[in-house]
Amino acid sequence: MVSRAMWKGQLRLSLVSIPVEVFSATKAGARFSFRQIHEPSGKPVHYDKVVEGIGPVDTDEIVKGYEYESGKYVLLEPEEIDAVKLETKKTLELVQFVDASEISPIYYDKPYYVVPSDDLAEDAYRVVRDALRKAGKVGLGQLTLRGREYIAAIRPCGDGLLLETLHYADELRKADPMFHGLSGKTSDEELLDVATALIDKKTSKFNAANFKDNYSSALKELVQRKLKGKKTKIEVDEEDDDKGKRGDNVVDLMSALKKSLEGSSGKSPAPKKTAAKKKSA
């Protein structure tokens, strides 16, 4: 089954714009998971949206609120949020290039596949992919995805491009307080030599397929054993269960690249200001 694109827009390198689509590189349902069950009735537990002193409320009565002081909120309507103009909603512009080794692994968040939207976009897409590979660089930009703006790193991945969202600097905890209790003593040379030899001995090319999720496998085996018994199995009437749920473009490539190179200052552009439309009275 073909995945649904999570973002559609333009991947821009100066004057070159490439229509692309972004897909999640991970599978949400690949891991073993449980449902919470109300043991006395054997029915799944549902979660209602509840307001203290009122009880369950309808989804259309809920708006987004920002807590500016403890217990005090400023409310935002969906139209007001949608009116915030961000170019990154539809354009991912590569504004800087760095060596991959410059980005600490702690910044990486989630991977996505970037593919050209149509056959006409493939030539430009291929040039960007091969240029990044030849230069040994990662392209950086920003895009808006799932209601928030991310730093995005673009790198070659096989025949295509991989996008990885990055954390902002203020989202990361400082490491110093975590490691402050560790002494600055250096390791014993003899022990260091043995540990280094062991690392060399176990060094090989990375292959994720060599690692298996043993915990999920063990849980699946447990479930299979339990299925053989009679007391641990329950059936839920689907109709009865449902009652508890609420309704819930590419320019001439060569000329564009040349013009971009001629006009490039070598500096990253200043961040664009965001503007919001004022709501009419």
Side-chain angles (χ1 to χ4, degrees):
M1 187 171 116
V2 179
S3 301
R4 192 167 66 109
M6 302 191 68
W7 187 87
K8 295 181 180 182
Q10 305 285 324
L11 174 62
R12 183 183 297 167
L13 175 56
S14 196
L15 298 180
V16 179
S17 292
I18 311 165
V20 297
E21 296 181 356
V22 172
F23 299 86
S24 177
T26 58
K27 296 187 289 186
R31 295 191 174 183
F32 191 90
S33 63
F34 290 108
R35 283 289 302 273
Q36 291 191 324
I37 305 296
H38 178 237
E39 189 174 19
S41 67
K43 294 184 178 182
V45 175
H46 297 296
Y47 294 91
D48 288 325
K49 295 184 182 295
V50 177
V51 175
E52 186 178 349
I54 297 176
V57 296
D58 293 328
T59 304
D60 57 8
E61 295 178 328
I62 300 173
V63 297
K64 294 184 183 295
Y66 176 77
E67 189 172 17
Y68 61 93
E69 287 181 17
S70 181
K72 296 182 180 180
Y73 302 85
V74 58
L75 304 183
L76 299 172
E77 296 292 338
E79 312 86 66
E80 294 178 296
I81 296 173
D82 291 340
V84 175
K85 290 184 177 180
L86 282 175
E87 188 177 352
T88 53
K89 285 184 177 181
K90 288 297 179 183
T91 303
L92 168 53
E93 182 170 6
L94 300 180
V95 298
Q96 184 184 358
F97 298 90
V98 300
D99 293 328
S101 59
E102 288 186 43
I103 306 175
S104 170
I106 198 172
Y107 283 96
Y108 287 104
D109 176 34
K110 191 174 179 183
Y112 298 86
Y113 295 128
V114 181
V115 301
S117 295
D118 51 51
D119 294 342
L120 294 175
E122 282 193 26
D123 284 344
Y125 176 93
R126 196 179 298 112
V127 169
V128 171
R129 178 201 66 195
D130 294 348
L132 286 171
R133 181 171 284 134
K134 184 177 180 179
K137 303 292 182 182
V138 171
L140 296 176
Q142 288 178 277
L143 89 163
T144 300
L145 187 67
R146 299 193 308 270
R148 60 167 293 188
E149 191 175 50
Y150 292 87
I151 306 172
I154 297 281
R155 70 177 75 216
C157 176
D159 293 332
L161 290 171
L162 182 72
L163 181 155
E164 293 171 280
T165 52
L166 305 177
H167 293 292
Y168 288 96
D170 60 4
E171 293 179 322
L172 301 176
R173 291 177 177 170
K174 293 186 179 299
D176 291 347
M178 305 293 177
F179 303 144
H180 77 279
L182 298 174
S183 86
K185 288 166 55 175
T186 57
S187 299
D188 178 85
E189 279 298 325
E190 213 173 316
L191 292 174
L192 186 59
D193 289 342
V194 174
T196 304
L198 182 58
I199 290 171
D200 290 340
K201 185 178 180 180
K202 290 181 174 289
T203 296
S204 60
K205 289 186 177 180
F206 172 71
N207 182 358
N210 291 335
F211 298 86
K212 305 297 180 184
D213 187 345
N214 299 305
Y215 186 59
S216 288
S217 297
L219 287 174
K220 288 175 183 178
E221 289 177 10
L222 174 60
V223 168
Q224 290 303 315
R225 290 198 303 271
K226 299 281 279 188
L227 281 171
K228 294 177 182 177
K230 294 181 179 179
K231 294 182 179 180
T232 56
K233 291 186 289 188
I234 62 166
E235 279 189 44
V236 177
D237 187 330
E238 293 294 336
E239 292 184 8
D240 184 55
D241 186 39
D242 287 341
K243 291 178 183 177
K245 297 180 182 178
R246 294 181 179 271
D248 306 302
N249 174 34
V250 175
V251 298
D252 180 76
L253 187 55
M254 185 56 74
S255 63
L257 287 170
K258 287 182 176 179
K259 287 180 182 177
S260 299
L261 191 59
E262 290 167 5
S264 175
S265 65
K267 297 181 180 178
S268 300
K272 296 182 178 67
K273 295 182 180 178
T274 60
K277 293 178 181 175
K278 292 185 179 178
K279 193 176 180 182
S280 57

